[in-house]
């Protein structure tokens, strides 16, 4: 049989080599994981920026629509006032200008 000290040394070297391989694999996985986390963080940041830009665009569109509605309501009110003055002028036998003054 072989020398027990040599066999013990081989076993110790195997353990060291195994530990080194396991440590290398762990570091590789950790680096990969960090890279994946960075990419995921970048994706989240990009999505947040896109969402903010879309919300700004929506806010502008809503504001423009509100302004359009206000203008349309003002026009409808003016037309209603004009028609009411015309009806009053016909009923009271006066001019539209006189009816609007009343």
């Amino acid at each position: 049989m072989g020398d027990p000290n040599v066999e013990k040394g081989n076993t110790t070297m195997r353990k060291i080599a195994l530990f080194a391989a396991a440590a290398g694999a762990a570091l590789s996985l950790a680096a990969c994981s960090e890279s994946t986390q960075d990419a995921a963080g970048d994706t989240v940041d990009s999505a947040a920026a896109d969402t903010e830009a879309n919300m700004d665009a929506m806010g502008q569109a809503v504001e423009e629509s509100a302004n359009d509605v206000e203008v349309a309501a003002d026009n409808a009110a003016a037309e209603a006032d004009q028609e009411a003055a015309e009806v009053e002028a016909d009923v009271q036998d006066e001019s539209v200008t006189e009816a609007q003054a009343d």
Side-chain angles (χ1 to χ4, degrees), residues 6-87:
V6 172
E7 288 180 18
K8 185 176 181 183
N10 286 340
T11 304
T12 303
M13 298 231 345
R14 285 185 191 143
K15 288 180 182 179
I16 292 172
L18 182 60
F19 177 76
L27 288 175
S28 295
L29 288 174
C32 179
S33 177
E34 184 177 338
S35 171
T36 301
Q37 288 175 358
D38 289 345
D42 291 345
T43 300
V44 168
D45 291 343
S46 177
D50 288 347
T51 300
E52 184 177 356
N54 288 335
M55 292 298 290
D56 287 344
M58 286 284 290
Q60 289 175 348
V62 167
E63 188 174 324
E64 290 172 6
S65 295
N67 289 337
D68 291 346
V69 168
E70 182 181 5
V71 168
D74 289 344
N75 289 341
E79 288 176 18
D81 287 344
Q82 178 66 28
E83 290 179 17
E86 290 172 6
V87 169

